Amino acid sequence: MLFHPQSEADIRAMLEAIGVKDIEELWAQVPARLRLGRDLELGPPLSEAVVEREMLAQAEANRDLKHTLCFLGAGTYFHHVPNLVPALLSRGEFLTAYTPYQAEVSQGTLQAMFEFQTLIVELTGMEVANASMYDGAEATAEAVLMAGRMRPKNTNGPVLVSQALNPAYRATVETYLRHSGREIKTIPLNPDGATDLDRLRAELPGALCLVAQSPNFFGCIEDWPAIMAAVKDSDLVRIAVVTEALSLALLKPPGHCSADIVGGSGQSFGIPPALGGPHLGFLAGRDADVRRMPGRLVGQTADQEGRRGFVLTLSTREQHIRREKATSNICTNHGLMALAATIYLARQGGHGLLRLAKQNHELAERLKQKLAAAGFKPRFSAPGFNEFTIELGADAQTVAERLAGKGILAGLPLGRFFPELSTCLLIAVTEMLSETDLDQLVAALAEVKQ
Amino acid sequence: MLFHPQSEADIRAMLEAIGVKDIEELWAQVPARLRLGRDLELGPPLSEAVVEREMLAQAEANRDLKHTLCFLGAGTYFHHVPNLVPALLSRGEFLTAYTPYQAEVSQGTLQAMFEFQTLIVELTGMEVANASMYDGAEATAEAVLMAGRMRPKNTNGPVLVSQALNPAYRATVETYLRHSGREIKTIPLNPDGATDLDRLRAELPGALCLVAQSPNFFGCIEDWPAIMAAVKDSDLVRIAVVTEALSLALLKPPGHCSADIVGGSGQSFGIPPALGGPHLGFLAGRDADVRRMPGRLVGQTADQEGRRGFVLTLSTREQHIRREKATSNICTNHGLMALAATIYLARQGGHGLLRLAKQNHELAERLKQKLAAAGFKPRFSAPGFNEFTIELGADAQTVAERLAGKGILAGLPLGRFFPELSTCLLIAVTEMLSETDLDQLVAALAEVKQ
Amino acid sequence: MNPPGKRTGLIWDEPLLFELHPDQAPEPTLGARVPSPARSAQSAQPSTIPSALLRETPPRIPDLSEPEVLRHYSRLSSWNYGVDQGFYPLGSCTMKHNPRLNEAVAALPGFAFIHPEQPADQVQGALRLMHELARALAEISGMDAVSLQPAAGAHGELCGMLMIRAYHQARGDARRKVLIPDTAHGTNPASSALAGYEVVEVPTGPDGLLHPDTVAEFMDESVAGLMLTNPNTLGLFESYIAEVAEAVHKKGGLVYGDGANLNALMGIARPGDMGIDVIQFNLHKTFSTPHGGGGPGAGPVGVKKHLEPYLPVPIITERQGRYDYDWDRPQSIGKVGQYYGNFGVMVRAGAYIRRLGGQGLAEASRLAILNANYLRVKLRDHFHLPHPDACLHECVFSDKGLPSEVTTLDLAKRLMDYGFHPPTIYFPLVVHGALMVEPTESESKETLDQFIEAMVQISREARENPDLLQSAPQRTPVGRLDEVRAARKPILRWQP
Amino acid sequence: MNPPGKRTGLIWDEPLLFELHPDQAPEPTLGARVPSPARSAQSAQPSTIPSALLRETPPRIPDLSEPEVLRHYSRLSSWNYGVDQGFYPLGSCTMKHNPRLNEAVAALPGFAFIHPEQPADQVQGALRLMHELARALAEISGMDAVSLQPAAGAHGELCGMLMIRAYHQARGDARRKVLIPDTAHGTNPASSALAGYEVVEVPTGPDGLLHPDTVAEFMDESVAGLMLTNPNTLGLFESYIAEVAEAVHKKGGLVYGDGANLNALMGIARPGDMGIDVIQFNLHKTFSTPHGGGGPGAGPVGVKKHLEPYLPVPIITERQGRYDYDWDRPQSIGKVGQYYGNFGVMVRAGAYIRRLGGQGLAEASRLAILNANYLRVKLRDHFHLPHPDACLHECVFSDKGLPSEVTTLDLAKRLMDYGFHPPTIYFPLVVHGALMVEPTESESKETLDQFIEAMVQISREARENPDLLQSAPQRTPVGRLDEVRAARKPILRWQP
Ligand SMILES: Cc1ncc(COP(=O)(O)O)c(C=O)c1O
Ligand SMILES: Cc1ncc(COP(=O)(O)O)c(C=O)c1O
């Protein structure tokens, strides 16, 4: 039998117990004219073997990253996913449970989420983190809304957004804010690729918050200490965004530089790219603001006998209690992805993560040098982590397409997002690339250039 | 850290507790001249990502059955493996346990093995089955040895083996018997492809046992009732071999025809071909002979409070108790594969298994007809299940090679095993093949013929 | 029914990750550590980054070996209850079976390891899958167009409400309010508020249904629309849905249908045929994708023609067998997430729909309804059922008639001792001490009978031995946890 | 150490598969059943098979749905203890960590879905893997050639003994006997017997070692060889191995080395350098492939040059980068199994060896020895240790000094209540009431300390409260099971 265990005899016995002749009688409440009256046109039931074969063919109609050289990043990074991660995620106890409303039978999820929160706090340098958001873009939008709750009197002040915020994050913030009447102001960049602090200072008065990303969209590391110093005397909420979470192992975390909120994507931590989802959003803040945070929080408590245990807590912030007054509408979040990140981080350990981060950085630097030697200049001079922008001197879209044809995803052509950068390519380098792979890219680019 | 959790501090503390300076001191017993004194030449440690990539490349250097049309059978069948099976096998509780010597913490394995034994009993029509053998060939060899124990006075009588026993099974029996001085006599076939009962009758006197397979190596169903009738008045041990276990759902099981032992391969039940292993051997017998059986047996019992539970039992047959007097030397068996078969059979259910068997049979019959229409005659006329031998009228090896080049594994060329059948191809058909696939084979064969 | 807890179980005394190796060791030595994925020289300090921008110490995460991590989370998992473990009748959540085929196909490298910025011609299989899934959802719901972008049900609601807003705005019609029945799920008002609307609660009738007259009363030109769930959270079909929608439409409003309960309707009736203008699907409920301990889900949103221009960008298009992203949609509300939605979840839902086909989906709904009604009838003599005569996929009991010292919470906790995951409790809010049971089609009659027996026994215990309920659960790794204490002085992270 | 069993656990009352749907229903109807994998007409009866050859009724296996099967085996699994769950110091079994990388690569379609009869040029990657694994095993063991065909350790032993037999036979030298020390694993005598040899037990000295003089005494021209394990089952290195081998060789015999304990020696010393002529490897022990509740394992067999002609067919050959099967080996003992061995297990072992490299393997052995010695030293004041001064990878305690009413079995069962899998008991036979502890390198000092604490506490309980041991285990799904009853009137299958 397929997925439904009822035998015909069961069905008959149940109908009899209910006191109806057939199942149709059970939807007497549905007015006849609203009934479908035909079969859904979705084809016949298929065996597992047939569906598997079809899906395999469809999967193979995609060119996967395990069979390409991937220099694409821009918010999604092709890192190694340790096999331990899917092996543990696939355990039914984790996979097929839901939101741990009933704590006593959900301590597995709850303790893991508590660990996740702790890990995010440690990595971001903040004080409190929630149990996940959908993705980095949504986390950023929610961070802006949280800023609004933190400054309830500032009903109209603009949101300052660094020009180097990931465009998809920017777009999501715009969608979330559009109806609010709140303005979004762009803070442009210095020629070196980092956010222009003078322009930032000029826009401070009355602003609700600043949203800046580091490493930024162009791969440049923002100078958090300098940014925080620039806004020191302002009341604005400082939102730091991180799209390459691995950088947090190497770079000074925004939380060590007086950020108020840190949000971003945790996809780098054991989560496959999967055409963009499911990824992992995280959001961290300060203890003082915890009641203004969106999303689930797991807290430590004890049972009657004093045994430590964990529960969902502070749920008066949430929609199921506070409804329209909730801090967010989020319900189902990205729990399993948060678990993936937790297992990933536990597997790497602090030193392992740092070593991996350094390795990513060094490989990227090496590629930069190789490219420079081949005549390709970096577009920006600010230091980077594992991603950087290169000036091709030719239409980047065309170049990228030609290299894609050769099995090399050379990077993201920036023209689609920034027309003025249409000759630039955003290149990411991870531990999945070897020295030879770097050389292959350089050679291919050089060839195309000629 | 990799697979070893000891930190340097741990190691130091442990050495201190032991009272030695370094680990080397712990192998003082190893004479210096026997020490290796150099590193093993096995390359450096590699990261998971690198090994995964290398292994992927090596896997892709093979042409897998999901990307071919597979008509190869001959003892290993390409059936669908329901995804449920690997999902459950990969649970650490099953995967990383060992032989359930300690019953109270092994009830999962033990109950599943008890279910497996029951399933094999039901399918073979026998009375008792053990908890697995390595594969069908070894199970057959062990069946012959068991026959020797069942007829202790028959120390010299030959083993009668049908010519249509899978050659690898035959070879394995030979290896196991070679030193014993016992002769192996081949019972040839009738022109229709089934074992010649007259020749069998002629060889009966003094023989220890008969080993016959159905469906036999050439795909022909042996007439168990007739065979058993032919040996009715003999004292010989009747060993029935089954290499395509799925046939047991459709065909009269040998246990319903007074076989004494049934052995064979359970690979068809949810176990991937994997270049021939690990597969699953099974062995079933009669209650009266249980103490002469090789291998593990799980039995039902109870705890002090009367709760049902399961234990390994009758272990006085086994090597760890009886040493050189054991019924076999087997220790580690194929427990996880037996679990795979158990889950597979539970998933199919009795009706589902029968339906699948019928479908295999019908598809094979359809292909036979199509081939006949294209001028390819079956070599034998006895009825078959899902496999049959076809006469190509050309060197089968050559034909098979040409089709393999086109992505079609047309079947097994028989010349390697039976020179007189060098123009014959052994073709298997399973539910993994569609009508179109059958047509493709026929067309390709027709093309090659021209 | 086996009486709880004759034998004690091996419950691991598993510490927090951070307590496993309490003193962080210095960088582990060569042999014990993970070799670098690529062979790279190990430089001490990144040369190009000013040290002011570097972390001062590595993150404090213990350095563990693979077996330690594996064991830690394997043990933690054993403290968890999933659908794989037993009956999980969490109402409104559709905890149905999660086929393992789904997991296998979602893990295929061609689906799991493709980058969202790869050129469209390198991901034709993925785009086709999305396109076909969107079409299937449209067929199932009777809507005209579907975007797969929202990441969960609530996200779909927000997206839908933003489209309603955009629709009105495009017509220069600034409306402020959204009507929401009192039976609604919390995400409905929260999503409306997030979209900038004022929420007006509309009472349902004593029959648990929304009445057209009531709606008409609340409806005027300031109201952007009505948001309702059908079947509603009482498990009842909104019989007046067509008339209700008419009342809303008459005043220029739009109707948002919360599709979380679609498991009751597949192949039976379609929201799009009832006057609903926009709906979200919860793939993790109706379409068998696993709930993951709280996500990821996916909340595609379906609309009627008039809302199509407002769908989030990009839309997946098909032209002569070639699939592409369409970003050029000037009226779109924009993006609601980073990329195109939770693709991995879509793969699973797509496999499920293909596997069952139209017939199979209809059968799922039929059997879900049968199962719920069986529970309803078998339990209504033992627990108060505000609407005893009918339900679709779930039914809601109240605490009426329970001894006063016993709460719905006690009852839920006691169910754990019988080996069941408790139903949803205290929701919907319109039912006092609600106990909301949704069995789904995946459960056998045997399981339902066991649950019924446990419930009946508990109802007896509630009267005869209430302490058994109040001190429950006894068989779980921890006893009843103090939620008040957790909230009063929140401990939200581990500290050394 | 946490005292056992404060809380009771959710232990499922899971029936046997056959009891799930006790009455077999007639063939299920359309919707509920699995669609045919290929669309094929459904004929009632196979036309070409005479009905006398057909089954009369379908096999009596209940017709279950996927969720029922999933839940049944998920629940059963929770009654099982694996290395993933906790410490599993089963002596002689090397229950080390099973890396999940191994499982992932073994499941790749290019490894799992290849047919043993595919032409060699379609499986070059697989043949190369086998060839390289054989070479790696030769390097680790110091042998000259390796066949991967045997399916488990005992199978490898048989294969090795048959080669020894073939070797003597080829020289017209019919020998009847095999010497085996009294410390040997049961498979050693059983395999020798299976190869047609008469087994002669050789006593070890009071130091637990085999002495060359003793061996020389037993050695004559009727003896085909000696079979021994090094380190032996007491965890002791056979220090006189070279001299012992010499004594055997001098009389024309050969030495079989049982390689099950190789985890003690990698990178430290090599059997091939000690005079051993043939050895089997237990990939499921030393090379991290999972034990699967009792297999599958793999038992490759390595030989010195003079035995190479006798290796089972086929052998995997390499010529200019092309791999092939070599069947043409006239002196071969033939086939010991259906195909080429447990390829899936080889893939796992191959991944492990590549991952660790020579250095990593050596480190595994070093730490395995460290762990065992730590336990030895920490426990020797609490339990009698026949050889208190030394061990390699495992150590063996005896029941000497335990109160007479308490047995090794009681002790083992009591360990379960503390959350540990018991060690091997009553083996080796030379130690009375043996308790054989092999921690492996995978365990942390923390875990060992917990185990030590439990053992110490149990030794105290044995004196002060023996009933705690005798009535153990209490925390398992069932209490101590009656093995005598099981054997007296065996129930070996379910019956309605
Ligand atoms: C009726 C109803 N609507 C909406 C939602 C929200 O869906 P999600 O949790 O996916 O955001 C839920 C989920 O619990 C629900 O039950
Ligand atoms: C010392 C020793 N030799 C041989 C064997 C037999 O190996 P297998 O169980 O793989 O047949 C074992 C396994 O338990 C063993 O411990």
Side-chain angles (χ1 to χ4, degrees), chain A residues 98 101 134 329-332, chain C residues 91-93 151-155 157 185 187-188 229 233 258 260-261 280 282 284-285 297-298 427:
Chain A
Y98 200 19
Y101 295 120
Y134 305 137
N329 70 332
I330 196 169
C331 177
T332 296
Chain C
S92 207
C93 299
H155 206 211
E157 295 172 22
H185 192 259
T187 50
N188 292 183
T229 310
T233 60
D258 177 339
N261 291 344
Q280 106 279 0
N282 286 24
H284 47 303
K285 297 181 177 170
F427 176 73

Side-chain angles (χ1 to χ4, degrees), chain C residues 31-54:
Chain C
R33 71 180 197 217
V34 186
S36 301
R39 249 167 305 141
S40 72
Q42 300 276 346
S43 81
Q45 209 50 274
S47 47
T48 56
I49 308 176
S51 65
L53 301 185
L54 291 174

Side-chain angles (χ1 to χ4, degrees), chain B residues 357-368:
Chain B
K358 280 188 189 170
Q359 195 197 357
N360 270 254
H361 172 66
E362 281 161 24
L363 276 169
E365 292 298 313
R366 196 108 35 101
L367 179 57
K368 245 192 229 173

Side-chain angles (χ1 to χ4, degrees), chain D residues 318-370:
Chain D
E318 183 264 345
R319 210 160 292 144
Q320 287 160 339
R322 198 192 168 266
Y323 299 87
D324 207 347
Y325 302 104
D326 179 7
W327 289 91
D328 186 20
R329 302 178 61 87
Q331 291 193 280
S332 164
I333 58 164
K335 289 192 69 49
V336 294
Q338 194 168 352
Y339 296 107
Y340 326 114
N342 283 341
F343 176 72
V345 178
M346 300 172 206
V347 175
R348 291 168 170 88
Y352 179 72
I353 292 173
R354 285 194 211 189
R355 184 100 161 78
L356 288 189
Q359 258 185 316
L361 292 178
E363 177 143 318
S365 285
R366 294 162 62 90
L367 294 173
I369 293 173
L370 179 68

